[in-house]
Amino acid sequence: MRKALIINEGFSNNLGDQAIRESMTQLLQDSGFSTDFAYFTNPGMQQLPAYGYLEAGIGAMAPASLSFARRVKLKLSGIYWIAQHYRHISNILKRQDYDLVVIGGGQLIESSGKDYPSRFAIAMYWWTKLAKKLTKAKICLIGVGIGTTFNPKETSFFSKALALADVIWVRDTFSQTTARVKFERVAVLTPDVAFYHGNNRVETNNGNRRALVGITSYNEVFAKYNEPGKTRLDYYHEWYSVVRKYTQQGLPVVLFYTTITDAAESIAFRDYLRQHHQLEVPVAKLHTVSDLQELYQSASDVYSGRMHALILAMKYRCNVDAYLISQKLKSFHEEYILSGNQCREYSIKIRETFNRCILHQDHENSVAYEHKTTHQI
């Protein structure tokens, strides 16, 4: 059996990243590969931790302060990162005779928004460089998203990494255009891998009427998209209008989250609704992707600023709406939510793309090699 190494953020505290890992594993195994997994930005982590989302509390909301020493370290982060992780990466790559190294999915081609390179840029460079050096595997970037702007160091890291990839497929037209214009690589366009479900059953409409509202961390929104002058109270008022819309429709509302920082924001937003609007809105208790899937089965509507929270909701036939805070979400809204297509169609498209770009290409290369050697004989 052929062997594949899957590399993404699937051991992070983001339930969307964990769902990507599950879908990618399913896709590879359905395609005849045995699979191993490696954590993209923290290769030393060997298993998914038991994250305490609500237990992390309000402390998760505080923005990190950067000391001078920390800023210096970030500017030299490429050196620090590989010094910390080189042994883990090399051991992983040498562990098996891999036929395929898959990096993705997720928004892995993303900027720090600062003058130092993002962890993603550093990790992408070193994983592709070492995979090319230490294995004979085909290197594939599958289901990745690409951000909007990059500092010079990130542009260099990503350009070198993408140049080493044998196959690149992206999940939206903006990413496809950016790959061509910014990094001079042709990328295949295919739906996000999280849509893939293989032979797993996707739920039909269950008749429940309940709205799930997933507020995104204010600090992340402000730090990345920096709408000047918007206070946390302004931000909460925006989200209150969403809650009120659903309550006016007669839908009970539950707050939910897919990350620790969003869980903390949900607790604070619940308190805001209680204090400023005399509304009692519960916060869901989630620990795993399975918990999130069970929650979707009890809902009719989902509103979120997290793309994969919306993708998973679509797989359970919920009506979804996005808080459009980023180009990623704007592209998703235009290409997936407004299209009205069913998740099954996206899942089939993902499998077809994999067969065409990975399996069929392997077959064509094999036939070409056999023809060449036979002719030489």
Side-chain angles (χ1 to χ4, degrees):
M1 178 178 283
R2 291 168 297 180
K3 299 174 183 176
L5 175 65
I6 298 169
I7 306 166
N8 60 43
E9 290 290 279
F11 283 167
S12 80
N13 71 69
N14 189 322
L15 293 172
D17 288 334
Q18 295 173 33
I20 290 171
R21 176 174 58 87
E22 292 181 3
S23 292
M24 185 67 80
T25 300
Q26 186 72 49
L27 172 63
L28 269 291
Q29 292 180 355
D30 286 351
S31 302
F33 288 85
S34 64
T35 61
D36 290 333
F37 176 79
Y39 189 176
F40 183 58
T41 55
N42 188 7
M45 186 179 289
Q46 299 297 308
Q47 61 184 12
L48 179 66
Y51 291 108
Y53 290 85
L54 293 179
E55 295 81 357
I58 300 299
M61 292 171 60
S65 58
L66 295 179
S67 64
F68 175 76
R70 175 64 175 159
R71 290 180 183 277
V72 171
K73 186 174 180 179
L74 285 170
K75 288 181 182 294
L76 300 173
S77 52
I79 298 172
Y80 280 95
W81 192 89
I82 193 58
Q84 183 180 6
H85 297 299
Y86 178 85
R87 179 173 58 85
H88 297 300
I89 294 175
S90 60
N91 287 343
I92 290 168
L93 292 171
K94 292 176 181 177
R95 187 167 57 203
Q96 298 283 350
D97 185 17
Y98 292 114
D99 301 284
L100 192 64
V101 170
V102 173
I103 301 175
Q107 188 83 353
L108 300 186
I109 304 178
E110 185 61 283
S111 174
S112 67
K114 309 293 182 182
D115 60 351
Y116 50 81
S118 68
R119 291 179 306 144
F120 289 169
I122 298 164
M124 185 72 77
Y125 170 73
W126 282 109
W127 272 112
T128 53
K129 181 181 177 68
L130 293 176
K132 181 66 72 172
K133 178 181 179 181
L134 299 176
T135 76
K136 296 180 180 179
K138 177 182 289 187
I139 302 172
C140 302
L141 273 59
I142 294 182
V144 295
I146 302 179
T148 53
T149 59
F150 303 91
N151 63 46
K153 193 65 175 177
E154 289 167 339
T155 299
S156 176
F157 276 141
F158 283 129
S159 295
K160 291 174 181 177
L162 267 60
L164 294 175
D166 297 293
V167 174
I168 302 170
W169 94 43
V170 294
R171 62 193 185 187
D172 58 77
T173 53
F174 179 85
S175 296
Q176 188 180 42
T177 300
T178 304
R180 183 182 71 251
V181 173
K182 186 73 174 178
F183 300 111
E184 301 181 342
R185 285 301 311 264
V186 174
V188 177
L189 177 62
T190 299
D192 192 286
V193 176
F195 278 116
Y196 186 76
H197 58 80
N199 298 322
N200 296 338
R201 179 171 172 251
V202 176
E203 298 295 323
T204 57
N205 301 70
N206 52 38
N208 291 318
R209 284 183 52 76
R210 181 163 71 163
L212 306 178
V213 174
I215 187 169
T216 312
S217 165
Y218 170 78
N219 288 328
E220 291 185 33
V221 171
F222 189 81
K224 289 184 179 179
Y225 308 107
N226 195 22
E227 189 170 329
K230 180 183 287 189
T231 67
R232 182 171 256 111
L233 281 178
D234 294 332
Y235 183 59
Y236 283 0
H237 185 71
E238 279 187 284
W239 284 87
Y240 165 65
S241 66
V242 174
V243 172
R244 184 174 63 177
K245 179 190 73 173
Y246 287 126
T247 57
Q248 288 176 342
Q249 294 173 10
L251 293 175
V253 174
V254 174
L255 303 179
F256 82 109
Y257 45 86
T258 56
T259 71
I260 286 177
T261 53
D262 288 0
E265 203 72 65
S266 296
I267 295 170
F269 183 53
R270 176 201 63 191
D271 295 343
Y272 160 85
L273 292 173
R274 181 182 294 158
Q275 295 166 11
H276 292 265
H277 300 284
Q278 294 71 54
L279 273 178
E280 288 292 334
V281 180
V283 179
K285 295 181 179 179
L286 304 171
H287 294 92
T288 65
V289 173
S290 295
D291 292 341
L292 183 60
Q293 292 169 336
E294 186 175 341
L295 182 66
Y296 287 142
Q297 292 180 60
S298 70
S300 56
D301 295 77
V302 174
Y303 186 94
S304 176
R306 297 287 184 182
M307 191 179 78
H308 288 96
L310 296 169
I311 290 176
L312 295 181
M314 290 172 69
K315 291 173 77 168
Y316 286 87
R317 304 292 179 89
C318 297
N319 301 312
V320 302
D321 202 359
Y323 181 62
L324 301 177
I325 56 175
S326 65
Q327 179 60 52
K328 173 176 70 174
L329 278 162
K330 290 174 184 175
S331 297
F332 177 74
H333 181 258
E334 293 169 3
E335 297 178 36
Y336 295 99
I337 295 178
L338 295 181
S339 73
N341 294 332
Q342 298 297 315
C343 291
R344 176 174 172 77
E345 298 175 49
Y346 297 139
S347 184
I348 292 171
K349 178 68 173 176
I350 291 165
R351 185 66 181 273
E352 289 175 346
T353 302
F354 187 87
N355 289 344
R356 184 178 74 253
C357 293
I358 311 299
L359 301 185
H360 183 62
Q361 189 180 79
D362 282 346
H363 174 71
E364 286 185 337
N365 290 342
S366 176
V367 170
Y369 177 77
E370 289 176 7
H371 175 75
K372 179 181 178 181
T373 54
T374 301
H375 180 72
Q376 288 174 341
I377 292 172

